[in-house]
Amino acid sequence: MSAQRKDDHVRLAIEQHHGHSGHNQFDEVSFVHHALAGIDRPEVSLATEFAGIGWQVPIYINAMTGGSVKTGAINRDLATAARETGVPIASGSMNAYLKDPSCAGTFRVLREENPDGFVIANINATTSVDNARRAVDLLEANALQIHINTAQETPMPEGDRSFSAWGPQIGKIAGSLDIPVIVKEVGNGLSRQTLLTLQDLGVRAADVSGRGGTDFARIENGRREQADYAYLRGWGQSTAACLLDAQGLSIPVLASGGVRHPLDVMRALALGARAVGSSAGFLRTLLDGGVPALVAQLTAWLDQLAALQTMLGARTPADLTRCDLLIRGELRDFCADRGIDTRRLAQRSGSHFHSFPDADPDSELGSELGSELGPHSVPVPARSATH
């Protein structure tokens, strides 16, 4: 049953993306174009770091699959592409292996084909500490993802219905392993409150994995005879919304969910993500064109990311957080409701074009500005000559 479910997930995910409209809330984020901000390409580095982890690139192949013969073949090809491009890779949920060790090879291939790469194991929040170590050991993993997915489990016919122990168990795992633990949603987003809870639990980083990519609640509803949870389609917050909600927190955040192209990667990095993952888009390329096509896509993304950083004057991915951003549409409404000051995002480069005068907090202007600043508004960094 588990192997069939894994195959069903791949099939339904691909079908879902073939019919996708292509629009998501990343389209409501745009860069302010400063025509003289550009730098020289040799000055640009794609390297990023978070939670003691250093990557040479700011993208990763995110969790997908494993547990059946077909999905094992997919993992082999994904690992080969990761090896050829130096892109980190995460496994799909390893619960199938923990229940049935005979399918270990469908996951182990991620390390066998990518012996020197950065490989992330993946488990659910009900996994015991001992089984978490088993998953890490099988892949000789450099980090561990724990996925949380209440909106997927709810319509899943065989899904979990007890969620109260998830947080404490995440804390136990995070406190017991000597590699970084990353908690990841599966497409419904992590709110600010959730991120604060994860931080308190000792989690080293979090992948917000918001709405906009594969909708697993929709997939699980498609596996039900009556398909009676259709109203859960689109549940949660978008990836862009989650990143805005996370402004100012100390826990490093990663981004996935609805990442379609290098510009979305740049938008996510500019909103504060330390690295950006994609799953379905890479999978579709692999299934349509094989390993050479995926290697070509990853290589093109990396080249274009460097080109965009050059244009924007960002020597590193972290420098993108000093670029000016405009927030529009429903995403701006989300920010207003959550108390996030979008004006600060639009002026954070220290540009001379639109700067507020220094305001006396007791003056009418100072009072007005103070009342409009949200509880987690983005601070304005020092002026930068490159922006």
Side-chain angles (χ1 to χ4, degrees), residues 172 182 265 337 380:
K172 288 180 184 178
I182 304 166
V265 175
D337 289 342
V380 180

Side-chain angles (χ1 to χ4, degrees), residues 294-315:
L294 181 54
V295 169
Q297 181 184 25
L298 292 168
T299 301
W301 277 39
L302 294 174
D303 181 68
Q304 290 173 33
L305 290 174
L308 292 171
Q309 282 185 216
T310 302
M311 178 179 72
L312 289 164
R315 290 177 171 81

Side-chain angles (χ1 to χ4, degrees), residues 37-66:
I39 56 177
D40 298 333
R41 181 69 172 263
E43 299 177 49
V44 169
S45 168
L46 294 178
T48 188
E49 55 183 89
F50 60 94
I53 296 169
W55 288 349
Q56 292 305 303
V57 296
I59 62 173
Y60 55 102
I61 300 172
N62 214 350
M64 290 194 217
T65 196

Side-chain angles (χ1 to χ4, degrees), residues 148-159:
I148 51 178
N149 60 334
T150 56
Q152 178 187 7
E153 294 285 344
T154 297
M156 186 189 299
E158 66 277 40

Side-chain angles (χ1 to χ4, degrees), residues 88-206:
I89 186 170
S91 82
S93 172
M94 297 177 68
N95 189 50
Y97 155 67
L98 297 175
K99 290 182 176 179
D100 179 9
S102 70
C103 68
T106 69
F107 296 98
R108 174 66 188 172
V109 69
L110 290 168
R111 177 55 76 192
E112 292 172 345
E113 295 295 333
N114 189 19
D116 300 317
F118 196 101
V119 177
I120 306 171
N122 181 301
I123 59 172
N124 64 37
T126 65
T127 305
S128 69
V129 171
D130 286 344
N131 277 340
R133 291 196 179 102
R134 284 179 59 203
V136 168
D137 291 345
L138 180 70
L139 300 189
E140 301 172 58
N142 306 95
L144 176 69
Q145 271 186 353
I146 303 176
H147 66 265
I148 51 178
N149 60 334
T150 56
Q152 178 187 7
E153 294 285 344
T154 297
M156 186 189 299
E158 66 277 40
D160 198 349
R161 299 293 183 269
S162 300
F163 305 128
S164 62
W166 285 19
Q169 188 59 25
I170 287 170
K172 288 180 184 178
I173 296 170
S176 300
L177 299 187
D178 57 3
I179 60 173
V181 169
I182 304 166
V183 169
K184 174 190 179 297
E185 238 288 349
V186 301
N188 304 107
L190 296 176
S191 67
R192 183 178 184 84
Q193 287 88 334
T194 304
L195 290 167
L196 286 168
T197 298
L198 293 174
Q199 183 175 293
D200 290 343
L201 290 171
V203 171
R204 299 275 293 278

